[in-house]
Amino acid sequence: MTHRRRLAVLAFGAAAATALLPHAVQAQAWPSKPITIVAAYPAGGVADQMARVLATELSKRVGQPVTVENRVGASGMIGANHVAKAAADGHTLLMGAMAEIVFTPHMHDKMAYRPEKDLEPVAMAVRFPFILVTNPSFPARSAREIVELARKSPNQYTYATGGNGSVQHLAMEMFTRSAGIELRHIPYKGVMPALTDVLSNQVPMMFAGFPPAMPHVQAGKLNAIALTTKERLPVAPDVPSLAETPGQEKYDFPVWVGLFAPAGTPSAVLDRLHRESVDIFSTPAIRANIEKAGMTVSAEPRAEFASFIRSEYDKYRKVIRDAGIKDN
């Protein structure tokens, strides 16, 4: 090899290394500035609570301030779109939920972002069930009795949700379709107005979040019928799983909240975020508080979480299309 050719090869190698350097340095230096975790839902909800737990503990570990920003609206899409369009450097993250990640893409013909392409799954934070609750005046005392009543009087009984295409709506669609029954959907502008009307017997039933519903169950103002996960909860061992109902053995509707980053974020950053998130939520004191609220901490690997998200995306595509749900 000639001297001139050697110089050319060395120059090419140096140029290639220089081109790769910013990406490598970016990953190694993370975080180089404050981190923002966007919660796509209002303060006090599960996504907001998990974002604040993570922010408090993560800031201690990474040496940078970590703040939570609530970007609320459009079933979580406003917050998700903001993160999807952010720089892919690990400094803007999303504490997201089912609606904006696996529901809305199948309900909207046009979206400003595509979660399956624009957001990278980082870590599952928590899973938890909904609880099917009824007003005490409603005659059914079990899911089986609800099915029997609905079969005798199709489309006579109603149920409340937090809105068309909401998580509660999808949970009930899965139930009614697997049971072969018809119930009338009464959508509300939010979960709390729906729960209020079930409490006042304006509507007889709904799928509700475990934490807001259980105090009313314990006070005798609501009846707890069944959970949407296959397993019972240790904090409510007497409440059966819906899958224990004959004909509903395959029913499994876990609600989840997880951490996401813009697509293209360096793998080293994603891996670090995953390790820190799992470790934080698995801390004994934090885990104990989460489990008291009827939730379960998840420590699955990042690749497994990504695979789960893909399966959820496909699962709810079918449910939404079969039910003809649109939220345009």
Side-chain angles (χ1 to χ4, degrees), residues 124-138:
M124 176 82 78
V126 292
R127 301 185 194 213
F128 54 97
F130 274 148
I131 181 170
L132 179 58
V133 293
T134 61
N135 187 278
S137 65
F138 190 63

Side-chain angles (χ1 to χ4, degrees), residues 225-307:
I225 301 298
L227 301 173
T228 61
T229 50
K230 284 191 173 182
E231 303 81 18
R232 295 194 182 198
L233 286 176
V235 293
D238 295 333
V239 181
S241 163
L242 195 55
E244 296 175 40
T245 304
Q248 298 293 316
E249 291 84 2
K250 294 183 179 180
Y251 189 97
D252 190 26
F253 193 100
V255 188
W256 50 262
V257 168
L259 189 67
F260 296 80
T265 300
S267 293
V269 174
L270 296 174
D271 289 341
R272 172 83 186 278
L273 278 167
H274 176 269
R275 290 195 303 271
E276 297 291 3
S277 298
V278 168
D279 193 50
I280 287 168
F281 289 121
S282 298
T283 301
I286 293 174
R287 179 190 286 268
N289 286 332
I290 287 172
E291 291 177 349
K292 283 179 185 176
M295 298 184 285
T296 303
V297 172
S298 177
E300 61 195 14
R302 185 162 69 86
E304 190 173 317
F305 179 43
S307 178

Side-chain angles (χ1 to χ4, degrees), residues 7-305:
L7 290 176
V9 170
L10 290 171
F12 176 80
T18 302
L20 293 172
L21 186 60
H23 191 78
V25 169
Q26 184 185 49
Q28 291 172 1
W30 181 89
S32 58
K33 59 183 179 181
I35 299 168
T36 299
I37 302 176
V38 173
Y41 296 90
V46 175
D48 174 76
Q49 291 174 6
M50 295 304 104
R52 293 184 188 280
V53 168
L54 182 61
T56 298
E57 298 302 317
L58 187 61
S59 64
K60 301 174 185 176
R61 295 165 176 246
V62 300
Q64 288 283 357
V66 183
T67 58
V68 175
E69 181 179 340
N70 295 91
R71 287 183 173 259
V72 181
S75 299
M77 289 190 291
I78 290 175
N81 183 56
H82 176 76
V83 176
K85 300 296 190 293
D89 58 9
H91 293 94
T92 304
L93 307 168
L94 172 71
M95 189 61 77
M98 301 170 77
E100 71 274 17
I101 303 298
V102 298
F103 291 173
T104 52
H106 308 308
M107 299 180 195
H108 294 259
D109 295 328
K110 296 181 180 179
M111 288 181 63
Y113 72 99
R114 301 302 304 184
E116 73 278 18
K117 295 179 179 179
D118 299 332
L119 292 168
E120 186 73 34
V122 177
M124 176 82 78
V126 292
R127 301 185 194 213
F128 54 97
F130 274 148
I131 181 170
L132 179 58
V133 293
T134 61
N135 187 278
S137 65
F138 190 63
R141 292 293 182 269
S142 68
R144 183 174 186 169
E145 291 180 6
I146 291 175
V147 171
E148 291 172 352
L149 282 175
R151 284 179 177 165
K152 291 177 182 176
S153 304
N155 220 31
Q156 176 179 331
Y157 300 102
T158 59
Y159 68 93
T161 73
N164 189 53
S166 64
V167 185
Q168 301 85 17
H169 187 190
L170 268 292
M172 188 63 83
E173 281 289 342
M174 285 184 62
F175 172 45
T176 58
R177 287 178 175 275
S178 62
I181 60 174
E182 294 180 18
L183 300 172
R184 283 192 292 120
H185 178 207
I186 309 296
Y188 286 75
K189 292 184 177 179
V191 176
M192 294 315 296
L195 185 60
T196 297
D197 270 14
V198 174
L199 285 163
S200 63
N201 201 30
Q202 300 300 307
V203 185
M205 72 185 95
M206 72 177 291
F207 278 113
F210 188 86
M214 280 309 290
H216 299 297
V217 170
Q218 292 162 351
K221 297 178 180 179
L222 291 174
N223 287 335
I225 301 298
L227 301 173
T228 61
T229 50
K230 284 191 173 182
E231 303 81 18
R232 295 194 182 198
L233 286 176
V235 293
D238 295 333
V239 181
S241 163
L242 195 55
E244 296 175 40
T245 304
Q248 298 293 316
E249 291 84 2
K250 294 183 179 180
Y251 189 97
D252 190 26
F253 193 100
V255 188
W256 50 262
V257 168
L259 189 67
F260 296 80
T265 300
S267 293
V269 174
L270 296 174
D271 289 341
R272 172 83 186 278
L273 278 167
H274 176 269
R275 290 195 303 271
E276 297 291 3
S277 298
V278 168
D279 193 50
I280 287 168
F281 289 121
S282 298
T283 301
I286 293 174
R287 179 190 286 268
N289 286 332
I290 287 172
E291 291 177 349
K292 283 179 185 176
M295 298 184 285
T296 303
V297 172
S298 177
E300 61 195 14
R302 185 162 69 86
E304 190 173 317
F305 179 43

